[in-house]
Amino acid sequence: MNSPHPPEDNSPSNDARMRTLATASSVVVWYTAADGAVVARNPSWEAFTGQTFDECAGWGWLNAIHPEDQPGVRSTWTQGVRSGRTVELAYRLRRRDGIYRNVTAEGAPVLEDGALREWVGFCVDVTDSKRAEEALKASEERLQFLDRLGQATRPLTDAGELMQVTARMLGQHLGATRCAYADVEADSNRFTIRNDWSMEGVASSAGVYSLDLFGPLATSNLRRGQHLVVHDVDKELGEEGGARMFKAIGIRAVVCTALVKEGRLVALMAVHQATPRQWTLAEIAIIEEVVDRCWAHIERVRDNAMLREQDRRKDEFLATLAHELRNPLAPIKYAIAMLRKSKNGDHSYSEKANEVIDRQVSLMARLIDDLLDLSRINRGLIHLKPEPVLVSDLMQQAAASARPAMETAGHRLEVRPGEEDLWLHADPTRMVQVIGNLLANAAKYTPDGGHIQLAVRRSGGMAVLEVIDNGIGIPAGEQGQLFQMFTQLSHTADRAQGGLGIGLALVKTLVQMHQGSVRVFSEGLDQGSTFAVELPLVERGPHPMAQAAPAPTHSPVATQTRVLVVEDNKDGLATLLALLDAMGYEAAGAADGMKGLEMARSFKPDVVLLDLGLPVLDGFGVARALRADPAFASVAIVALTGWGAERDRTRTAEAGFDAHLTKPIEPDLLEAYLAKFSSRRPGVPG
């Protein structure tokens, strides 16, 4: 702003010096007449702003100031001129390259003989320092916000509450209309806004949405972990690009940050604005940081909750397991007392006591088998042995195994195999186990005297096996939990007859291994239940289902057969020797592996029943020693052990065992195996 009084130097060299000074120092020196108007050329102002004298003359210099700042500058400058006092100003001044720079300006009056003669002042470019100051302030505000957020969420142990607090604090910090957190489903398409925060009067956006609503480009970017930043949905997206969806929930600007873990989109954080908004890089950065911190915290909270739940379920499982193992022990102990009473002359209790012991031991064996089966399946150690099988055969075998439990509870079991022969390609042992578990479940949760049906029908290319009961039913809200491992539904607590909650989990896993599915239907409490198993049908098989083990037989050669038992459990050894004696076999026993070898050389057995976990020398060592001796070439070696995993069976086969039986074995099945191996003796017709 130029004064008419100083001498002018309009030479080219002086102009160049002034431009260099103005650019290098970012300081502009100016002067005006007493009325505040520019009346002479000022190379310093011209060098910085690019205005010529004609353009800045009078009050034309205001045109170099940002239009938004012009009214304030004009008002302040006018008041200063009238008062004749020093004026301080701050505004945005356009540099000659067209970029507005933040400047501070000061003008001082020049007096001559007490009268105002002119104004002299300067402008200082403070853009860089202002930016640094703003950046420092923004950084402080960011750190303060993150600290407040951390303090507010650190003690939270519920993931839902954590999401709510984070969304609220982030939305308020940004002055947004709404802030929403969403989990993305495993299909990477649907997402669920479980928790959101919105300004008063703004509706919640909670619900389930399709990611495709964002439009193809945005959806693709989000799935790759790229963020969606939209300043104005109408201008940037268009109706087909996602604007329709955003406008439907009152959104005109949005930042949506994507969280991708191990190549999959798992979560979204969206900040909504009801009007177009120019999101800054700092705002986008803090949204990203909050999302990362929030998700890391959510994962920790969920992991801790899962560990607590696992601990709780483990404790419940161990308590239930102890209960289930103790339950059969009580009647067994009572039955033993009854047997002792019968020895004193009262024989009326003997048969009943024998039935109780047999039934309770079978229950314990089934419980342990289910546990082991589930463990083997989870570790991928069970391999199916499928063959063509008639569904009706499976049903009859499963019904036979379930009848004792049905009769004990007074249930009427109705088996309806249908008029049509239906064939499956399945592992018969495992499918009988599936149906048997469903029947056992029905018997357990049906009050005494109930009616249970086992039926099959064709549905297209599938066989549908149904177990229908008129029992206690299942509330709709609990039906989805039935097939989870160790699940005990709350409504069954006072009516169930025990159980570990593994039977149905085992059913589901085995059915899925057969490429089938299992479902449950119930109208609710006291409305009964229907369990339906669907399995793919195959063409008619070549022959009926093979038996899993040799049929029981009472061999005439039993009395001529010598059986050596090597078992370190004293009671187990004594009772098995007594049983073999009652069957008519000549039996001898040893309590460790070395004694077993010595006994074999003197006793010369035809069959060796051999435990694996023996002291001194284990069962594998005994078997290898016997197989290495030509004198025992024809001897049958049978593992009779509590170890029944697939790897155990593989090891016994490699060690030279002829069969692998798990404890406790049914006496009839044991006798069948002994008869089979007895026929291998030289001179015995087979």
Side-chain angles (χ1 to χ4, degrees):
M1 302 173 196
N2 306 358
S3 167
H5 300 291
E8 295 187 45
D9 180 357
N10 297 325
S11 66
S13 60
N14 187 58
D15 287 350
R17 285 195 298 272
M18 293 304 295
R19 282 196 299 270
T20 301
L21 175 64
T23 304
S25 66
S26 297
V27 175
V28 179
V29 178
W30 53 266
Y31 28 84
T32 72
D35 62 357
V38 173
V39 294
R41 180 170 176 259
N42 187 334
S44 177
W45 179 269
E46 182 179 331
F48 188 89
T49 66
Q51 276 190 321
T52 64
F53 171 69
D54 291 338
E55 291 172 334
C56 70
W59 288 69
W61 54 270
L62 279 170
N63 294 327
I65 295 174
H66 195 285
E68 294 177 0
D69 299 340
Q70 287 180 20
V73 171
R74 178 187 290 274
S75 174
T76 303
W77 180 240
T78 300
Q79 293 175 12
V81 168
R82 288 175 181 170
S83 67
R85 297 180 182 148
T86 300
V87 178
E88 295 182 353
L89 298 163
Y91 51 85
R92 286 166 287 178
L93 181 63
R94 186 183 63 238
R95 200 167 57 187
R96 65 185 303 115
D97 57 7
I99 296 175
Y100 284 97
R101 306 286 289 180
N102 292 97
V103 301
T104 59
E106 184 174 326
V110 178
L111 302 177
E112 189 176 278
D113 298 330
L116 178 61
R117 178 175 175 272
E118 62 180 345
W119 291 86
V120 177
F122 59 87
C123 297
V124 179
D125 187 342
V126 295
T127 303
D128 292 339
S129 60
K130 185 178 178 64
R131 285 176 180 171
E133 182 181 340
E134 290 175 348
L136 178 60
K137 181 180 178 182
S139 177
E140 290 175 349
E141 290 177 350
R142 168 182 159 276
L143 292 174
Q144 289 172 359
F145 167 69
L146 293 174
D147 181 61
R148 292 196 307 274
L149 180 64
Q151 291 182 20
T153 58
R154 191 173 297 114
L156 301 181
T157 57
D158 179 76
E161 186 181 3
L162 175 59
M163 294 177 201
Q164 285 182 332
V165 171
T166 300
R168 173 179 57 80
M169 292 187 68
L170 179 61
Q172 291 175 339
H173 177 73
L174 294 173
T177 303
R178 183 192 292 116
C179 187
Y181 181 92
D183 284 321
V184 181
E185 304 294 333
D187 62 6
S188 294
N189 183 39
R190 289 189 310 162
F191 65 94
T192 303
I193 298 178
R194 306 186 190 280
N195 306 88
D196 70 351
W197 168 87
S198 56
M199 296 177 64
E200 186 175 352
V202 177
S204 170
S205 61
V208 180
Y209 302 88
S210 170
L211 205 63
D212 293 333
L213 292 173
F214 284 105
L217 179 59
T219 298
S220 176
N221 289 343
L222 287 171
R223 286 187 176 130
R224 292 199 303 269
Q226 298 178 9
H227 306 318
L228 174 67
V229 180
V230 181
H231 309 286
D232 188 327
V233 299
D234 289 317
K235 294 180 179 179
E236 298 174 41
L237 296 181
E239 290 296 306
E240 300 305 319
R244 185 186 297 113
M245 186 270 289
F246 285 119
K247 289 194 293 186
I249 55 175
I251 298 305
R252 290 297 187 275
V254 63
V255 175
C256 190
T257 57
L259 187 68
V260 173
K261 294 286 186 179
E262 297 179 355
R264 187 178 75 81
L265 178 63
V266 295
L268 298 168
M269 176 72 86
V271 180
H272 299 160
Q273 201 70 36
T275 57
R277 173 171 176 168
Q278 193 67 32
W279 304 100
T280 67
L281 293 177
E283 290 169 342
I284 296 170
I286 199 166
I287 295 171
E288 293 174 355
E289 187 165 3
V290 168
V291 169
D292 285 341
R293 289 189 178 202
C294 176
W295 182 255
H297 195 168
I298 287 172
E299 286 185 321
R300 288 194 297 272
V301 166
R302 285 177 172 170
D303 288 346
N304 290 336
M306 186 180 299
L307 288 173
R308 288 194 300 272
E309 176 65 12
Q310 287 175 346
D311 282 344
R312 184 189 66 79
R313 294 181 70 174
K314 178 196 70 176
D315 291 342
E316 287 184 359
F317 166 69
L318 291 175
T320 306
L321 177 60
H323 172 267
E324 291 303 301
L325 290 175
R326 286 193 188 104
N327 268 350
L329 294 178
I332 289 173
K333 206 161 187 67
Y334 305 150
I336 291 171
M338 292 165 61
L339 288 174
R340 286 176 179 157
K341 191 173 183 66
S342 68
K343 289 180 180 179
N344 295 329
D346 187 350
H347 298 286
S348 60
Y349 298 121
S350 298
E351 184 175 350
K352 187 173 182 179
N354 289 331
E355 290 176 357
V356 168
I357 292 173
D358 182 65
R359 184 165 57 249
Q360 297 302 322
V361 169
S362 296
L363 285 174
M364 291 181 72
R366 179 170 181 170
L367 175 68
I368 294 168
D369 284 343
D370 279 356
L371 274 173
L372 292 175
D373 279 345
L374 208 55
S375 173
R376 292 169 191 148
I377 289 172
N378 288 338
R379 290 179 291 153
L381 299 179
I382 280 190
H383 302 286
L384 300 180
K385 299 176 181 177
E387 60 184 74
V389 290
L390 264 174
V391 177
S392 57
D393 286 349
L394 298 173
M395 295 169 68
Q396 294 298 340
Q397 289 195 36
S401 68
R403 284 198 191 281
M406 299 289 177
E407 292 171 357
T408 299
H411 297 319
R412 179 166 65 91
L413 175 60
E414 180 184 353
V415 180
R416 294 186 286 136
E419 299 179 358
E420 180 184 6
D421 284 346
L422 300 177
W423 290 83
L424 305 175
H425 188 65
D427 185 322
T429 302
R430 294 304 178 184
M431 287 315 305
V432 169
Q433 185 179 7
V434 164
I435 302 169
N437 278 3
L438 291 176
L439 290 172
N441 187 75
K444 183 185 299 181
Y445 295 106
T446 299
D448 290 356
H451 180 205
I452 297 171
Q453 301 174 62
L454 172 60
V456 68
R457 58 184 170 83
R458 176 193 286 270
S459 177
M462 307 292 284
V464 182
L465 274 160
E466 292 180 322
V467 175
I468 308 165
D469 65 61
N470 61 346
I472 65 175
I474 310 162
E478 296 186 0
Q479 292 177 20
Q481 308 169 37
L482 272 178
F483 299 101
Q484 296 176 10
M485 201 188 313
F486 308 135
T487 294
Q488 300 280 5
L489 301 186
S490 58
H491 80 287
T492 65
D494 59 345
R495 304 180 73 169
Q497 302 168 23
L500 290 174
I502 59 177
L504 293 180
L506 190 58
V507 164
K508 180 180 180 181
T509 305
L510 288 173
V511 168
Q512 288 177 338
M513 290 176 71
H514 283 85
Q515 309 305 310
S517 62
V518 59
R519 294 172 294 159
V520 62
F521 306 91
S522 177
E523 295 295 329
L525 286 176
D526 299 318
Q527 299 298 311
S529 305
T530 298
F531 286 83
V533 174
E534 291 190 2
L535 294 161
L537 291 166
V538 296
E539 296 298 322
R540 180 183 177 89
H543 46 67
M545 181 175 61
Q547 297 296 319
T553 182
H554 298 279
S555 172
V557 300
T559 55
Q560 307 166 13
T561 303
R562 294 184 172 192
V563 181
L564 172 63
V565 181
V566 188
E567 165 66 71
D568 64 329
N569 183 295
K570 292 182 179 180
D571 287 341
L573 176 60
T575 53
L576 185 51
L577 289 174
L579 177 61
L580 292 170
D581 182 66
M583 290 178 176
Y585 293 93
E586 185 178 351
D592 66 59
M594 291 304 297
K595 290 180 180 177
L597 281 177
E598 295 171 5
M599 182 68 72
R601 295 186 180 101
S602 60
F603 183 63
K604 301 189 185 318
D606 302 300
V607 180
V608 178
L609 298 179
L610 186 57
D611 192 14
L612 299 181
L614 295 169
V616 186
L617 179 65
D618 66 16
F620 296 103
V622 174
R624 292 189 184 97
L626 291 175
R627 285 291 175 245
D629 190 337
F632 300 103
S634 62
V635 172
I637 305 176
V638 179
L640 184 57
T641 175
W643 300 103
E646 196 66 31
R647 65 175 182 273
D648 300 316
R649 297 177 184 276
T650 301
R651 290 183 66 196
T652 54
E654 292 172 349
F657 285 80
D658 293 280
H660 187 116
L661 307 178
T662 54
K663 302 174 184 177
I665 187 170
E666 291 292 335
D668 286 348
L669 186 58
L670 173 63
E671 193 167 7
Y673 271 102
L674 290 175
K676 172 186 174 183
F677 291 124
S678 296
S679 65
R680 290 172 34 174
R681 290 186 305 139
V684 177

